[in-house]
């Protein structure tokens, strides 16, 4: 089967064009850790998500890669695109910085488990899936700010009444480069500000955690017991 | 009933209405007995634990929660409590008696108690031999700190003062890590390290709480006991 790879949130027009070009292709989110071997192309200490992008590409050899390189992703995405082009992959660069595709935010503020919220929001990038568990809106007890973590299991530590903020909320809103929305926080909601280690968004996460008295955490690949305990303590003591 | 804080190097244990091994008894207060025992020794024994926390135990309580529950009767309404142990550092802050902030440097042992113990053993020194030194090594990473100790000794400094500079560096890091408060309530093994406490006093006032705060937190959080 033909595989289309992508990372971040490629421009919707590009997604539609590619779907028409390859109607039967399987779409793979290259950000996700499928545990393919590290090809040692990137430095050992580097953003695990970008390492996933490179290692997944080498392992899966997609026929085409939709590669966000703008403010909707990060500088590392831009560099990864250049590397993969140089390695001979069919890379189509994407910049999705406008706000014309704005969608209603409803999963981020729902009573779905946090794990389901975030995996559903990212799954909806390529295919809007209405076939998910029924949900209702709920009042936030806690907040989770950030990108979908490499270690998605940490999301299971949070209660269902956890609202999603940051880039993931921007993705649901169809505006992945909306910095105002990315920095939006409900001040009274105790929030965990998550950053992937070696990600430049750590700058925002640390700043916002200090500003709103939240908990800043960064995780490289998988959370150790102490990181889990730290999140658990924050959720119990706040 | 036995409450256990099983640290990487030493375990702290409080028994309520019962006794443990008197070889490790450090103090007694009413119906409570306090023990400090090497964690390697704990692992050899079968002990009926009521509640435990710590790296070396099948913990049923989170160490930050235990710290929060253990310190409350000793602190002001606005307070920063730092627990510095063998392997990690954690702090918690209360504002108006309510939890306000926390952090836990989760896994890097290189600048905490175990390193100091190893250094003392390596240079055949006792903790009491160390005295506060005005100078400090930058020990963001303990491995680089070790290199500085070796360089310092190679350049004619004695091991005592070189390690004291290292300990001063740890104290500065710990204070910075806790967001530079004016006062720190110190919990954990470093309470007994005068060189460390004096170094920390260089930056803020220090009140030592001793090594049993997490254990006391286990007791305090045990609602069943509180209702007795």
């Amino acid at each position: 089967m033909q595989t289309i790879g992508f990372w971040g949130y490629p421009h919707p027009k590009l997604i539609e064009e590619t779907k028409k070009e390859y109607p039967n292709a399987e779409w793979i989110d290259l950000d996700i850790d499928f545990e393919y071997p590290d090809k040692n192309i990137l430095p050992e200490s580097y953003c695990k998500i970008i390492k996933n992008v490179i290692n997944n590409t080498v392992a899966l050899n997609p026929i085409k890669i939709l590669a966000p390189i703008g403010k909707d992703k990060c500088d590392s995405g831009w560099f990864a695109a250049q590397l993969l082009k140089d390695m001979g992959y069919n890379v189509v660069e994407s910049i999705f910085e406008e706000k014309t595709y704005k969608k209603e935010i409803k999963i981020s503020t729902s009573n779905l488990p946090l794990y389901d919220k975030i995996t559903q929001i990212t799954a909806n990038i390529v295919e809007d899936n209405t076939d998910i568990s029924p949900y209702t809106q709920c009042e936030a007890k806690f907040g989770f700010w950030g990108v979908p973590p490499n270690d998605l299991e940490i999301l299971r530590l949070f209660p269902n009444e956890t609202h999603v903020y940051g880039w993931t909320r921007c993705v649901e809103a169809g505006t992945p480069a909306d910095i105002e929305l990315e920095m939006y926080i409900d001040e009274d909601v105790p929030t965990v500000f998550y950053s992937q280690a070696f990600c430049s968004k750590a700058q925002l996460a640390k700043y916002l955690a200090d500003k709103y008295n939240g908990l800043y955490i960064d995780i490289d690949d998988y959370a150790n017991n102490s990181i889990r305990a730290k999140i658990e303590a924050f959720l119990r003591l706040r | 009933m036995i409450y256990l804080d099983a640290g990487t190097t030493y375990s702290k244990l409080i028994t309520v209405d019962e006794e443990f091994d008197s070889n490790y008894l450090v103090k007694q207060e009413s119906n409570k007995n306090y023990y400090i025992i090497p964690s390697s020794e704990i692992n050899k024994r079968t002990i009926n634990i009521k509640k435990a926390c710590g790296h070396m135990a099948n913990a049923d309580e989170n160490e930050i929660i235990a710290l929060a529950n253990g310190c409350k009767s000793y602190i002001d309404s606005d307070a920063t409590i730092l627990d510095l142990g063998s392997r990690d550092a954690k702090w918690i802050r209360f504002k108006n008696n309510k939890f306000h902030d926390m952090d836990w440097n989760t896994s890097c042992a290189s600048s905490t108690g175990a390193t100091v113990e190893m250094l003392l053993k390596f240079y055949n020194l006792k903790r009491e031999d160390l005295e506060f030194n005005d100078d400090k090594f930058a020990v963001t990473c303990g491995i680089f700190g070790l290199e500085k100790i070796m360089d310092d000794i190679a350049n004619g400094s004695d091991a005592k003062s070189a390690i004291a500079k290292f300990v001063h560096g740890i104290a500065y890091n710990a204070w910075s890590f806790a967001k530079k408060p004016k006062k720190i309530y110190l919990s954990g093994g470093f309470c007994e390290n005068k060189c460390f406490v004096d170094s920390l006093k260089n930056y803020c006032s220090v009140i030592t709480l001793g090594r049993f705060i997490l254990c006391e937190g286990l007791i305090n959080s045990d609602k069943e006991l509180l209702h007795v």
Side-chain angles (χ1 to χ4, degrees):
Chain A
M1 179 182 270
Q2 291 175 320
T3 302
I4 305 293
F6 72 98
W7 63 75
Y9 195 157
H11 198 289
K13 264 189 192 169
L14 197 54
I15 293 175
E16 287 316 306
E17 285 167 14
T18 308
K19 277 184 183 172
K20 280 179 192 157
E21 191 181 355
Y22 301 98
N24 299 315
E26 185 187 10
W27 287 67
I28 302 283
D29 186 342
L30 299 170
D31 286 321
I32 294 172
D33 188 356
F34 298 115
E35 299 184 353
Y36 288 117
D38 188 352
K39 296 294 180 186
N40 294 317
I41 294 165
L42 299 186
E44 195 160 330
S45 300
Y46 202 74
C47 171
K48 181 68 168 70
I49 302 291
I50 299 297
K51 287 175 94 169
N52 290 343
V53 164
I54 301 290
N55 292 329
N56 289 338
T57 299
V58 173
L60 298 167
N61 195 18
I63 192 163
K64 190 177 207 173
I65 299 167
L66 308 189
I69 58 163
K71 289 187 170 61
D72 49 312
K73 182 66 179 176
C74 59
D75 284 349
S76 296
W78 150 251
F79 291 128
Q82 310 319 307
L83 251 73
L84 292 174
K85 271 198 278 186
D86 193 65
M87 290 163 70
Y89 292 99
N90 178 16
V91 175
V92 181
E93 293 178 354
S94 162
I95 296 178
F96 180 21
E97 295 178 353
E98 65 266 43
K99 296 182 184 174
T100 45
Y101 292 84
K102 207 155 190 151
K103 295 185 281 187
E104 187 187 354
I105 294 170
K106 47 189 181 178
I107 296 176
S108 292
T109 50
S110 73
N111 64 343
L112 286 170
L114 182 61
Y115 181 97
D116 295 356
K117 284 184 186 107
I118 289 185
T119 51
Q120 193 58 54
I121 287 169
T122 49
N124 285 354
I125 289 172
V126 175
E127 203 76 58
D128 248 342
N129 183 5
T130 50
D131 186 26
I132 57 174
S133 312
Y135 59 83
T136 56
Q137 297 301 291
C138 73
E139 206 162 303
K141 280 189 183 164
F142 293 99
F144 177 89
W145 182 99
V147 299
N150 182 70
D151 183 0
L152 290 163
E153 289 301 310
I154 62 160
L155 303 174
R156 298 192 195 278
L157 298 172
F158 292 78
N160 291 2
E161 300 86 358
T162 302
H163 284 190
V164 175
Y165 300 91
W167 186 80
T168 313
R169 192 181 184 105
C170 295
V171 169
E172 188 186 8
T175 56
D178 183 347
I179 190 65
E180 279 175 28
L181 182 60
E182 188 163 4
M183 292 181 74
Y184 169 78
I185 293 299
D186 286 315
E187 290 192 25
D188 298 331
V189 176
T191 298
V192 173
F193 292 84
Y194 165 79
S195 164
Q196 196 65 43
F198 311 107
C199 172
S200 55
K201 285 187 191 292
Q203 191 178 166
L204 287 180
K206 172 73 167 57
Y207 174 80
L208 293 171
D210 288 344
K211 182 173 178 181
Y212 295 108
N213 191 29
L215 175 69
Y216 167 72
I217 54 166
D218 70 351
I219 302 174
D220 183 7
D221 45 8
Y222 289 91
N224 56 26
N225 286 339
S226 298
I227 285 271
R228 289 170 167 272
K230 189 166 155 176
I231 296 170
E232 183 192 69
F234 180 80
L235 298 176
R236 279 175 64 186
L237 293 168
R238 286 295 291 270
Chain B
M1 281 168 288
I2 297 179
Y3 297 87
L4 171 70
D5 166 20
T8 304
T9 319
Y10 291 102
S11 290
K12 284 69 65 179
L13 189 146
I14 299 178
T15 63
V16 180
D17 294 329
E18 65 177 279
E19 289 182 359
F20 184 64
D21 186 336
S22 60
N23 289 320
Y24 300 104
L25 182 69
V26 291
K27 65 173 178 173
Q28 287 179 300
E29 277 174 18
S30 63
N31 63 338
K32 290 183 195 165
N33 300 306
Y34 297 73
Y35 303 85
I36 294 178
I37 174 170
S39 290
S40 54
E41 193 60 34
I42 284 280
N43 293 335
K44 292 178 195 161
R45 301 178 183 221
T46 306
I47 309 171
N48 187 14
I49 306 289
K50 183 82 165 63
K51 211 164 192 179
C53 67
H55 282 100
M56 304 296 281
N58 290 322
D60 43 21
E61 183 58 286
N62 179 314
E63 288 176 61
I64 291 269
I65 308 269
L67 179 65
N69 286 330
C71 67
K72 277 193 170 171
S73 54
Y74 300 102
I75 59 171
D76 294 333
S77 55
D78 294 339
T80 297
I81 306 94
L82 170 70
D83 181 77
L84 195 59
S86 182
R87 168 169 164 164
D88 61 1
K90 48 187 133 3
W91 62 266
I92 183 164
R93 177 165 300 134
F94 291 93
K95 209 171 175 178
N96 297 323
N97 286 318
K98 286 184 180 165
F99 166 75
H100 181 69
D101 200 3
M102 58 156 279
D103 205 353
W104 190 349
N105 103 329
T106 48
S107 55
C108 179
S110 54
S111 284
T112 47
T115 313
V116 176
E117 293 237 342
M118 282 189 277
L119 281 167
L120 291 172
K121 274 184 193 160
F122 184 75
Y123 287 107
N124 199 23
L125 291 167
K126 292 190 184 105
R127 196 169 51 205
E128 298 74 35
D129 295 332
L130 302 182
E131 288 174 359
F132 167 67
N133 194 308
D134 247 348
D135 293 334
K136 67 173 184 295
F137 292 147
V139 288
T140 307
C141 170
I143 303 301
F144 294 143
L146 294 180
E147 190 185 26
K148 288 195 173 97
I149 289 173
M150 289 168 188
D151 284 348
D152 205 37
I153 291 169
N155 289 331
S157 183
D158 62 287
K160 260 197 317 192
S161 54
I163 297 172
K165 289 175 200 171
F166 180 78
V167 168
H168 186 165
I170 294 174
Y172 175 77
N173 278 3
W175 176 68
S176 301
F177 172 61
K179 296 192 177 173
K180 303 186 175 178
K182 287 182 179 160
K183 179 161 130 183
I184 278 179
Y185 291 87
L186 181 65
S187 153
F190 273 99
C191 287
E192 294 171 3
N193 187 322
K194 188 171 181 309
C195 179
F196 176 83
V197 174
D198 288 344
S199 301
L200 192 57
K201 280 179 178 170
N202 213 35
Y203 302 99
C204 61
S205 66
V206 180
I207 294 174
T208 55
L209 299 177
R211 303 177 74 174
F212 289 96
I213 293 297
L214 272 70
C215 253
E216 290 186 30
L218 296 176
I219 296 173
N220 292 345
S221 65
D222 195 338
K223 287 178 185 164
E224 192 187 313
L225 180 71
L226 291 175
H227 291 158
V228 169

